[in-house]
Amino acid sequence: MNAPAHASLDDKERVFDRIIPDKFRPIIDRNACLNCKRCVKECSFGALEWKDDRVVYKGGCVACQRCSAMCPARCIEIATVPSGLPPHASYTERVRQGINAQASSGGVLLCSCGTDMPYGMIFDDLILDAAQVTNPSIDPLREQVETRTYVGRRSSRVMLSGDGYVTESDGSGPVVAMDMPIMFGHISLGAVSYNCQRSLFQAAKDLNILAGSGEGGLHADFLQFADHINGEVASGRFGVTPEYLRRTAAVEIKVGQGAKPGHGGHLPGEKVSDLISQTRMIPLGTDALSPYPHHDIYSIEDLQQLIAALKESVEYRVPVGVKIAAVHNVAAIASGVVRAGADFITIDGFRGGTGSTPRVIRDHAGLPIEVATAVVDKRLNEEGLRNRVTVCAGGSIRSAADMIKVIALGADVAMVCTSALIAMGCQVCQSCHRGLCAWGIATQRPELTSRLDPEIGARRVTRLFHAWNEELKEVMGAMGIDAVESLVGNRDRLRYFGPNQKIAEVMGVKHVGEGWG
């Protein structure tokens, strides 16, 4: 594969771009095609063009499925293209793609969404228990199965008088009541479109749950949903105003994020539109880079001061929490966070989503949420702290089954992001950081954002979470559990069926075949 002798250095180097072909390619049934050009218009990545009186493929397909879904003749199929590269167990196609991309750019590889590395899902190795004979099940269609959940600080210990009255407690704080143990994680305006965030907030209101604001404050239009918004305070402090703190239902300090532990926020300049610039109070079209650490937090004592300052700011009316990434020492860190005065703690596992992050961090740093949740719950119980705090856990909660298992591992609330976006049309093509989302979700381009109707988005997400909550009731009924708080940390209702018993031991889950007690 030689370039002509007279070609420039750049021309000669372009030959390397052809070594790694596209991973996907649209296959068009020419007999059925109406030549309406709809697919060309819908492809925001410019992979299709109209040429010589027909639609032709230019390259760059990300398999977002938009052209296929919108084709009136249903004549487009997205096919996976075999690489044709010689196979190698160590230097896989993915590894070689990365090497070539960096040899061309000299930069950090960016990516989005949760990691797609083939790590096993521990959730899939866990099996739920069910009631039989001596522990009768409950029919949720005929009996009450309670899923109401509270986010905030509780008393860890109470003293009762002889006639049953509380005579002494170590104090509780403000709480937020939710109708189900699910909340939307922090998905910022900027990472996603105005219509997407409006869909999430409307769904949170309809479901009576919380939705994270994400970094960057709150657009004025969304103050109407403030009673259902968990306002984030990240290291960049973008968009954090007195009104923002006063109006939201809860406030959360973001110390870490599962997809990029130890890393700051990164919103590419392509996504900083007028609307984002005004909301975040940052210059138009520039990258919004949050510092890696909070520059006023270098110890638990520093964190304690910020928690106290925020509680003063909100006049102790709403709970103040802390979000940390799941890392190797997560249990000890969580203990410190609770001792620093957090009313709730959110643990974000390493499969958690993101709108943009260095791929090397997303794919290689952190801890699975299943393990992190279990070790945090165990540590807080051992130290007598567990009852003080609400534990929220997320990082690839894909279904009601994952939600139920993470609760049994020790979480009070399951935090969900990607599944909600999938309900709105996301195909997890991992191109959010490019700002070209064809479904109007992870983009700020007006011609694309208008593709997502916020009412439809809210309706679909509401239905999804309602279905998950109904499935939660079904499973709890089958287990003979009548309130979700009795499932929290109840690892004896789980059994491990995977290949590595050590993981089960770390989580405190018995192997299949082992009985109770």
Side-chain angles (χ1 to χ4, degrees), residues 282-490:
I282 58 175
L284 177 69
T286 59
D287 283 11
L289 300 170
S290 298
Y292 287 23
H294 288 251
H295 286 312
D296 51 356
I297 300 177
Y298 288 92
S299 66
I300 289 295
E301 290 75 16
D302 291 340
L303 177 63
Q304 187 176 27
Q305 286 192 11
L306 182 57
I307 292 172
L310 288 172
K311 287 186 174 182
E312 287 282 345
S313 299
V314 301
E315 299 175 341
Y316 300 92
R317 293 176 300 98
V318 302
V320 175
V322 175
K323 176 184 169 186
I324 57 174
V327 291
H328 298 179
N329 203 29
V330 66
I333 295 167
S335 171
V337 168
V338 177
R339 292 175 191 279
D343 299 321
F344 64 100
I345 180 170
T346 300
I347 312 163
D348 196 10
F350 88 138
R351 287 193 188 85
T354 175
S356 179
T357 190
R359 197 170 87 177
V360 66
I361 293 178
R362 185 198 72 167
D363 290 350
H364 299 284
L367 197 66
I369 192 59
E370 302 94 323
V371 174
T373 303
V375 298
V376 166
D377 183 64
K378 286 166 59 181
R379 177 71 174 256
L380 296 182
N381 271 310
E382 289 167 1
E383 297 185 0
L385 300 171
R386 180 62 183 89
N387 290 334
R388 284 191 198 174
V389 70
T390 301
V391 174
C392 310
S396 204
I397 305 292
R398 304 161 298 171
S399 63
D402 290 353
M403 174 184 69
I404 294 162
K405 291 171 185 177
V406 84
I407 291 172
L409 287 169
D412 296 283
V413 178
M415 179 183 69
V416 179
C417 293
T418 302
S419 296
L421 301 184
I422 291 173
M424 288 188 228
C426 169
Q427 302 298 312
V428 200
C429 70
Q430 303 184 66
S431 301
C432 314
H433 57 290
R434 297 174 62 185
L436 298 171
C437 178
W439 293 88
I441 296 170
T443 179
Q444 302 304 321
R445 297 193 175 195
E447 72 276 16
L448 300 178
T449 59
S450 60
R451 294 179 179 181
L452 176 62
D453 185 315
E455 288 189 26
I456 293 175
R459 193 164 59 181
R460 291 184 59 79
V461 175
T462 300
R463 286 197 203 112
L464 175 71
F465 279 18
H466 175 75
W468 284 15
N469 197 49
E470 291 302 303
E471 290 183 333
L472 169 63
K473 291 178 182 178
E474 293 285 347
V475 170
M476 287 202 303
M479 286 180 169
I481 295 174
D482 63 0
V484 70
E485 62 183 15
S486 298
L487 179 62
V488 175
N490 197 341

Side-chain angles (χ1 to χ4, degrees), residues 238-296:
F238 299 129
V240 177
T241 64
E243 184 178 29
Y244 173 71
L245 296 176
R246 280 198 304 269
R247 297 282 295 271
T248 51
V251 175
E252 187 170 46
I253 302 166
K254 175 191 172 186
V255 172
Q257 183 174 342
K260 42 187 169 182
H263 200 271
H266 178 204
L267 182 65
E270 292 84 355
K271 285 184 157 185
V272 181
S273 61
D274 272 333
L275 183 141
I276 304 303
S277 170
Q278 292 167 15
T279 305
R280 295 198 176 205
M281 299 182 289
I282 58 175
L284 177 69
T286 59
D287 283 11
L289 300 170
S290 298
Y292 287 23
H294 288 251
H295 286 312
D296 51 356

